[in-house]
Amino acid sequence: MLLPESMSKILVVGTKDQLPATIDLLYSLENVHVIDFPSDGEEGFTLGSPLSAASDASLKLLKLRSMEKDLEIDGSAYKEKISVKQIEDTLQSTMDEIEKQISGIVESKNSMQTRLSELNGRITLLDPFKKVDLDLGLYRGYSSLGVIAGYSQIDPETALKDALQNEYELFKGSDSFIVLFVPLSKLEEAQRTLSQQGFSEVPIPEGKGMPSQMVAELESEIADVNKQLEDIEAKLAEIRGNYASFIAAADEQLSIIVEKAELPLRMGATEHSFVLEAWVPEKEFSSISDAFSKKVGDNVYLEVLCTKDRKEEHAEPSGYNEEEPVEVEEEVPVELKHGKTVGRFTFFTKLLSTPRYNEIDPTITIAIFFPIFFGLMVGDVGYGIPFTILGLIGLKRCKSDEWRGIATMLFYGGIASIFFGLFLYGDMFGIEFHSAEVGAISWETLLGVSLPHVLFNIGDFAVQLGYVTKLGSVKLLLYACIWVGIAHLILGLIIGFYNTTIRHGLKAAVFEKLSWLLVMIGFAFGVLWAIENLITSQAMALDSNLIIALVLAIVGLLMAVKAEGGTAIIEAPEVLSNVLSYTRIAAIGMSKAGMALAFNMIALEMIAPGGGIMLVLGLLVFIIGHLMIFILAIISAGLHSVRLEYVELFNKFFEGGGVDFNPLKIVRKHTIATEE
Amino acid sequence: MVDAEGLIAVGAGLAVGLAGIGSGIAEANIGAAAVGAMAENEKLFGKGLILTVIPETIVIFGLVISILLWINM
């Protein structure tokens, strides 16, 4: 459970006539992670070539996809499942039928759309000329006259009058459109004058007739084309309704055929045989081997090449040598195996990085500590209950990994919030169940009931309804957070120690991780000393705690220096900053409680006592205020809990960068496989 | 004379406020770069997040100081 699944590398060799059966078998096992055959492979081998089924299926798939595009089919929208047998029987005839039905329609649809954009383009050209309603025939065909049309930001009349000595004719439309007729001899002068007035020219459209009339004609034609298009769309929709499910299913079936037929591209091949290497989970090998002997008998040879251990060999490069490239250690795929609850947190591990084959999968630490941190930060029954409900709905309804991740966070975080809200802080919506202060609001005074102080007894220990308050016991909470941090970090270092042991051996682990563990424990003693001497009695006394702290820290640091060199000294202050980082748990709890206090004061003490409408108003302020805190809680508490895992804890042991175990497998959404 | 408690309160406010500005400036640049990296490769979200929140410790230092001041008020 802690380490990823142990993996074995297998070799499959067989004759080519067994290839299709072997491929079907490999897919049905759903446990085989294929290693791509190196393209510059071993001598005598080439890359395999696709099965003959591939070319036919690809061709059909291509046609099918173009139909999907023409018919605008979105595969995910159809739920109907069709059996593979039915698809195989009717594929060709149905495709022919669909092609016959849509070919003419799609062409005319395309030509109409082209026509439509032509017409619209022409209208855009003509539109400005509507404003100076002159027959388009009048714009051209002169031997001594030049015509300029366009937009002028400033009225050019006065400037033109000066420049052209009245030898011009100017038509002004609305919104600064002008048309200017000038003798050819003055054309250049006119252009220069206009450009000084911020003029931009527009081309004069072809044709004859009044622009306004032409635009009206074009518009009626557009309406006509649009109507025809609607008819065509209706016809396409009808075809879509009839065939969409079939097309989606056939697409899926053909894709599967193509995928399977192309698997030989990842294998090595000789003229008559194939060879394939793959990773399988070690414990599954016997069942895989059974399946092979049952399905393909003795015709295919199967062998375990090695079962990967987790130690890393230090490939010491023996100098640069082009003849002998240093063999890069191949990455073993990682399959994370968890129960249902912990499995939900895998999302958060993968969000950072997939763990490597030879390290502890940190998902379980997230599953344990994330809710605890979240609960300590929010720690309020009033927010915990809606968090839990939202999370539960999310887990039931949501399909995508992201939303499921968020729902997981809310559900488990919510449960922890209720737990800590009830037993540790004893409050709901920032209001305590019963307040120690006389006169302060509490649920007892608000509801006028008496709530029990002691909930139940476990042996001699009385479980109370709240021990501390977020704003009242700040010192205690800060102190507690530091210890939570130290415990969390020590756990991280222990996991790191274990990881290094399996990777590089005990000696490396002692120097690389035990050293920091000693420093951390020394720091813990240092905290004890500091609290006792510096804060409580304000004096610096040399007692046993300080001596233990110094000895452990110095020994640890020396060991770390031996392992990592001088950088260890630079890293040493990180111990302090890492531990202090956990005080954010108390700080975020405080900020929530502070905001809640403010809203409660405004709503319940300042507005609500007014009675009547003020009571409603107070309730409104109360609801809006707490909704805001609630949403902020998701962001701040959620993000900071994740951060404490990712940054503080994972840095102590997690390397990441593993390859996901990605077995060959067929997922059918629109089809039902038929047994052969 | 200026009230000593008031000065402590001002000091506490400055500690957390200035530290907040500091981490804000630091995180702004890292965050922008992280989003840029994510646009190229979505898988970098986790690493980007970690790098972005590293300077957050600065504001925690400020906060701890201000809380210590506040408790001693």
Side-chain angles (χ1 to χ4, degrees), chain A residues 135-184:
Chain A
D135 193 309
L136 279 184
L138 296 174
Y139 281 89
R140 54 188 88 243
Y142 302 110
S143 50
S144 59
L145 266 185
V147 186
I148 308 171
Y151 291 95
S152 171
Q153 283 169 6
I154 310 163
D155 187 353
E157 181 117 44
T158 21
L160 286 173
K161 221 176 239 172
D162 292 348
L164 304 176
Q165 293 103 34
N166 267 336
E167 283 186 58
Y168 69 94
E169 191 70 50
L170 181 69
F171 294 89
K172 280 192 265 186
S174 52
D175 96 48
S176 71
F177 183 75
I178 56 160
V179 177
L180 179 69
F181 292 80
V182 283
L184 275 181

Coordinates of all heavy atoms in Angstrom, one line a residue, chain A residues 135-184:
Chain A
D135 N -26.7 57.4 -58.4 CA -26.7 56.2 -59.2 C -25.2 55.8 -59.4 O -24.3 56.6 -59.6 CB -27.3 56.5 -60.6 CG -27.5 55.2 -61.3 OD1 -26.5 54.4 -61.4 OD2 -28.6 54.9 -61.8
L136 N -24.9 54.5 -59.1 CA -23.5 54.1 -59.2 C -22.9 54.3 -60.6 O -21.7 54.4 -60.7 CB -23.4 52.6 -58.8 CG -23.4 52.3 -57.3 CD1 -23.2 50.8 -57.1 CD2 -22.3 53.0 -56.6
G137 N -23.8 54.3 -61.6 CA -23.3 54.6 -63.0 C -22.6 56.0 -63.1 O -21.8 56.2 -64.0
L138 N -23.0 56.9 -62.2 CA -22.5 58.2 -62.3 C -21.1 58.3 -61.8 O -20.4 59.4 -61.9 CB -23.4 59.2 -61.6 CG -24.8 59.3 -62.1 CD1 -25.6 60.2 -61.2 CD2 -24.8 59.9 -63.5
Y139 N -20.6 57.3 -61.1 CA -19.3 57.4 -60.5 C -18.1 57.1 -61.4 O -17.0 57.3 -61.1 CB -19.2 56.4 -59.3 CG -19.9 56.8 -58.1 CD1 -21.3 56.5 -57.9 CD2 -19.2 57.6 -57.1 CE1 -21.9 56.9 -56.7 CE2 -19.9 58.0 -55.9 CZ -21.2 57.6 -55.8 OH -21.9 58.0 -54.6
R140 N -18.4 56.6 -62.6 CA -17.3 56.2 -63.4 C -17.6 56.6 -64.9 O -18.7 56.9 -65.2 CB -16.9 54.7 -63.3 CG -18.1 53.8 -63.5 CD -17.7 52.4 -63.1 NE -18.0 52.2 -61.7 CZ -17.0 51.8 -60.9 NH1 -15.8 51.7 -61.2 NH2 -17.3 51.6 -59.6
G141 N -16.6 56.4 -65.8 CA -16.8 56.6 -67.2 C -16.5 58.0 -67.6 O -16.9 58.5 -68.7
Y142 N -15.8 58.8 -66.8 CA -15.5 60.2 -67.2 C -14.0 60.2 -67.8 O -13.2 59.5 -67.3 CB -15.5 61.2 -66.0 CG -16.9 61.2 -65.4 CD1 -17.1 60.6 -64.1 CD2 -18.0 61.7 -66.1 CE1 -18.3 60.6 -63.5 CE2 -19.2 61.7 -65.5 CZ -19.4 61.2 -64.2 OH -20.6 61.2 -63.6
S143 N -13.8 61.1 -68.8 CA -12.5 61.3 -69.3 C -11.7 62.4 -68.6 O -10.5 62.4 -68.5 CB -12.5 61.5 -70.8 OG -13.4 62.5 -71.1
S144 N -12.5 63.4 -68.0 CA -11.8 64.5 -67.5 C -12.1 64.7 -66.0 O -11.7 65.7 -65.4 CB -12.1 65.8 -68.2 OG -13.5 65.9 -68.2
L145 N -12.9 63.8 -65.4 CA -13.3 64.0 -64.0 C -12.7 62.8 -63.2 O -12.7 61.7 -63.6 CB -14.8 63.9 -63.9 CG -15.5 65.3 -64.0 CD1 -17.0 65.0 -63.7 CD2 -15.0 66.3 -62.9
G146 N -12.2 63.2 -61.9 CA -11.8 62.2 -61.0 C -12.8 62.1 -59.9 O -13.5 63.1 -59.5
V147 N -13.0 60.9 -59.3 CA -14.0 60.7 -58.2 C -13.3 60.2 -57.0 O -12.6 59.2 -57.1 CB -15.1 59.8 -58.6 CG1 -16.2 59.8 -57.5 CG2 -15.7 60.2 -60.0
I148 N -13.5 60.8 -55.8 CA -13.0 60.3 -54.6 C -14.1 60.1 -53.6 O -14.9 61.0 -53.5 CB -11.9 61.3 -54.0 CG1 -10.9 61.7 -55.0 CG2 -11.3 60.6 -52.8 CD1 -10.0 62.8 -54.5
A149 N -14.1 58.9 -52.9 CA -15.2 58.7 -51.9 C -14.5 58.2 -50.7 O -13.5 57.5 -50.7 CB -16.2 57.7 -52.4
G150 N -15.1 58.6 -49.5 CA -14.5 58.1 -48.3 C -15.0 58.9 -47.1 O -15.9 59.7 -47.2
Y151 N -14.3 58.6 -45.9 CA -14.7 59.3 -44.7 C -13.7 60.4 -44.3 O -12.5 60.2 -44.4 CB -14.8 58.3 -43.6 CG -15.9 57.3 -43.7 CD1 -15.7 56.0 -44.3 CD2 -17.2 57.6 -43.2 CE1 -16.7 55.1 -44.4 CE2 -18.2 56.7 -43.4 CZ -18.0 55.5 -44.0 OH -19.0 54.6 -44.1
S152 N -14.2 61.5 -44.0 CA -13.4 62.6 -43.6 C -13.8 63.0 -42.1 O -14.9 63.2 -41.9 CB -13.6 63.8 -44.5 OG -12.9 64.9 -44.0
Q153 N -12.7 63.1 -41.3 CA -13.0 63.4 -39.9 C -13.5 64.8 -39.7 O -14.4 65.1 -38.9 CB -11.8 63.1 -39.0 CG -11.6 61.6 -38.8 CD -10.2 61.3 -38.1 OE1 -9.5 62.2 -37.8 NE2 -9.9 60.1 -38.0
I154 N -12.9 65.7 -40.4 CA -13.3 67.1 -40.3 C -14.0 67.5 -41.6 O -13.7 66.9 -42.7 CB -12.0 68.0 -40.2 CG1 -11.1 67.5 -39.1 CG2 -12.4 69.5 -39.9 CD1 -9.7 68.0 -39.1
D155 N -14.9 68.4 -41.5 CA -15.6 68.8 -42.8 C -14.6 69.5 -43.7 O -14.0 70.5 -43.3 CB -16.7 69.8 -42.4 CG -17.6 70.2 -43.6 OD1 -17.2 69.8 -44.7 OD2 -18.6 70.9 -43.4
P156 N -14.4 69.0 -44.9 CA -13.3 69.5 -45.7 C -13.7 70.6 -46.6 O -12.9 71.1 -47.4 CB -12.9 68.3 -46.6 CG -14.2 67.5 -46.7 CD -15.0 67.8 -45.5
E157 N -15.0 71.1 -46.5 CA -15.5 72.0 -47.5 C -14.6 73.3 -47.6 O -14.2 73.7 -48.7 CB -16.9 72.4 -47.1 CG -17.6 73.4 -48.1 CD -18.8 72.8 -48.8 OE1 -19.6 72.1 -48.1 OE2 -18.9 73.0 -50.0
T158 N -14.3 73.9 -46.5 CA -13.5 75.2 -46.6 C -12.2 75.0 -47.1 O -11.7 75.8 -48.0 CB -13.4 75.8 -45.2 OG1 -13.6 74.8 -44.2 CG2 -14.4 76.9 -44.9
A159 N -11.5 73.9 -46.7 CA -10.2 73.6 -47.2 C -10.2 73.4 -48.7 O -9.3 73.9 -49.4 CB -9.6 72.4 -46.5
L160 N -11.2 72.7 -49.2 CA -11.3 72.4 -50.6 C -11.5 73.6 -51.4 O -11.0 73.8 -52.5 CB -12.4 71.3 -50.8 CG -12.1 69.9 -50.4 CD1 -13.3 69.0 -50.6 CD2 -11.0 69.3 -51.3
K161 N -12.4 74.5 -50.8 CA -12.7 75.7 -51.5 C -11.5 76.5 -51.8 O -11.2 77.0 -52.9 CB -13.7 76.5 -50.6 CG -14.8 77.2 -51.4 CD -15.7 77.9 -50.4 CE -17.1 77.3 -50.5 NZ -18.0 77.8 -49.5
D162 N -10.6 76.6 -50.8 CA -9.3 77.4 -51.0 C -8.4 76.7 -52.0 O -7.8 77.3 -52.8 CB -8.6 77.5 -49.6 CG -9.4 78.3 -48.7 OD1 -10.3 79.0 -49.2 OD2 -9.1 78.3 -47.5
A163 N -8.3 75.4 -51.8 CA -7.3 74.7 -52.6 C -7.7 74.5 -54.1 O -6.9 74.5 -55.0 CB -7.0 73.3 -52.0
L164 N -9.0 74.3 -54.4 CA -9.4 74.0 -55.7 C -10.1 75.1 -56.4 O -10.6 75.0 -57.5 CB -10.4 72.8 -55.7 CG -9.8 71.5 -55.0 CD1 -10.9 70.4 -54.9 CD2 -8.6 71.0 -55.7
Q165 N -10.1 76.3 -55.8 CA -10.8 77.5 -56.4 C -12.2 77.2 -57.0 O -12.5 77.4 -58.1 CB -9.9 78.1 -57.5 CG -8.6 78.7 -57.0 CD -7.4 77.8 -57.4 OE1 -7.5 77.1 -58.4 NE2 -6.4 77.7 -56.5
N166 N -13.0 76.5 -56.1 CA -14.3 76.3 -56.5 C -14.6 75.3 -57.6 O -15.7 75.1 -58.0 CB -15.1 77.6 -56.8 CG -15.7 78.1 -55.5 OD1 -16.0 77.3 -54.6 ND2 -15.9 79.4 -55.4
E167 N -13.5 74.7 -58.2 CA -13.7 73.8 -59.3 C -13.9 72.4 -58.8 O -13.0 71.5 -58.8 CB -12.5 73.8 -60.3 CG -12.5 75.0 -61.1 CD -11.4 74.9 -62.1 OE1 -11.4 73.9 -62.9 OE2 -10.5 75.8 -62.1
Y168 N -15.0 72.1 -58.2 CA -15.3 70.8 -57.6 C -16.8 70.6 -57.3 O -17.5 71.6 -57.3 CB -14.5 70.5 -56.4 CG -15.0 71.4 -55.2 CD1 -15.9 70.8 -54.3 CD2 -14.5 72.6 -55.0 CE1 -16.3 71.6 -53.2 CE2 -14.9 73.4 -53.9 CZ -15.8 72.9 -53.0 OH -16.3 73.6 -52.0
E169 N -17.2 69.4 -57.2 CA -18.6 69.2 -56.7 C -18.5 68.2 -55.5 O -17.9 67.1 -55.6 CB -19.4 68.5 -57.8 CG -20.9 68.4 -57.6 CD -21.6 69.8 -57.7 OE1 -21.3 70.5 -58.7 OE2 -22.3 70.1 -56.7
L170 N -19.0 68.6 -54.4 CA -18.9 67.8 -53.1 C -20.3 67.3 -52.7 O -21.2 68.1 -52.6 CB -18.3 68.6 -52.0 CG -18.0 67.9 -50.7 CD1 -17.0 66.8 -50.8 CD2 -17.6 68.9 -49.6
F171 N -20.4 66.0 -52.4 CA -21.7 65.5 -51.9 C -21.3 65.0 -50.5 O -20.4 64.2 -50.3 CB -22.2 64.3 -52.7 CG -22.6 64.7 -54.1 CD1 -21.7 64.7 -55.1 CD2 -23.9 65.1 -54.3 CE1 -22.1 65.1 -56.4 CE2 -24.3 65.5 -55.6 CZ -23.4 65.5 -56.6
K172 N -22.2 65.5 -49.5 CA -21.9 65.1 -48.1 C -23.1 64.2 -47.7 O -24.2 64.5 -47.8 CB -21.8 66.3 -47.2 CG -20.5 66.9 -47.3 CD -20.3 67.9 -46.2 CE -20.7 69.3 -46.7 NZ -20.4 70.4 -45.7
G173 N -22.7 63.0 -47.2 CA -23.7 62.1 -46.6 C -23.7 62.3 -45.2 O -23.0 63.2 -44.6
S174 N -24.6 61.6 -44.4 CA -24.5 61.7 -43.0 C -23.3 61.0 -42.5 O -22.5 60.4 -43.3 CB -25.8 61.0 -42.4 OG -25.9 59.7 -42.8
D175 N -23.0 61.1 -41.2 CA -21.8 60.6 -40.5 C -20.5 60.6 -41.3 O -19.8 59.6 -41.6 CB -22.1 59.2 -39.8 CG -21.8 58.0 -40.6 OD1 -20.8 57.9 -41.0 OD2 -22.5 57.0 -40.7
S176 N -20.1 61.8 -41.8 CA -18.8 62.2 -42.3 C -18.4 61.5 -43.6 O -17.2 61.5 -44.0 CB -17.7 62.1 -41.3 OG -17.4 60.7 -41.0
F177 N -19.4 60.9 -44.3 CA -19.0 60.3 -45.6 C -19.2 61.3 -46.7 O -20.1 62.1 -46.7 CB -20.0 59.1 -45.9 CG -19.7 58.4 -47.2 CD1 -18.6 57.5 -47.2 CD2 -20.5 58.6 -48.3 CE1 -18.3 56.9 -48.4 CE2 -20.2 57.9 -49.5 CZ -19.1 57.0 -49.5
I178 N -18.1 61.4 -47.6 CA -18.2 62.4 -48.7 C -17.9 61.8 -50.0 O -17.2 60.8 -50.1 CB -17.2 63.6 -48.4 CG1 -15.8 63.1 -48.2 CG2 -17.6 64.4 -47.2 CD1 -14.8 64.1 -48.5
V179 N -18.4 62.4 -51.0 CA -18.0 62.0 -52.4 C -17.6 63.3 -53.1 O -18.3 64.3 -53.0 CB -19.2 61.3 -53.2 CG1 -18.7 61.0 -54.6 CG2 -19.6 60.1 -52.5
L180 N -16.4 63.3 -53.7 CA -15.9 64.5 -54.3 C -15.6 64.3 -55.8 O -15.0 63.3 -56.2 CB -14.6 64.9 -53.6 CG -13.9 66.1 -54.1 CD1 -14.7 67.4 -53.8 CD2 -12.5 66.2 -53.5
F181 N -16.2 65.1 -56.7 CA -15.9 65.1 -58.1 C -15.0 66.3 -58.4 O -15.3 67.4 -58.1 CB -17.2 65.2 -58.9 CG -18.1 64.0 -58.8 CD1 -18.9 63.9 -57.7 CD2 -18.1 63.0 -59.8 CE1 -19.7 62.8 -57.6 CE2 -18.9 61.9 -59.7 CZ -19.7 61.8 -58.6
V182 N -13.8 66.0 -59.0 CA -12.9 67.2 -59.4 C -12.3 66.9 -60.8 O -12.3 65.8 -61.2 CB -11.7 67.3 -58.4 CG1 -12.1 67.9 -57.1 CG2 -11.0 66.0 -58.2
P183 N -11.9 68.0 -61.5 CA -11.2 67.8 -62.7 C -10.0 67.0 -62.5 O -9.3 67.1 -61.4 CB -10.9 69.2 -63.2 CG -11.8 70.1 -62.4 CD -12.1 69.4 -61.1
L184 N -9.6 66.2 -63.5 CA -8.4 65.3 -63.3 C -7.2 66.1 -63.0 O -6.3 65.7 -62.2 CB -8.2 64.5 -64.6 CG -8.9 63.2 -64.7 CD1 -8.6 62.5 -66.0 CD2 -8.7 62.3 -63.5

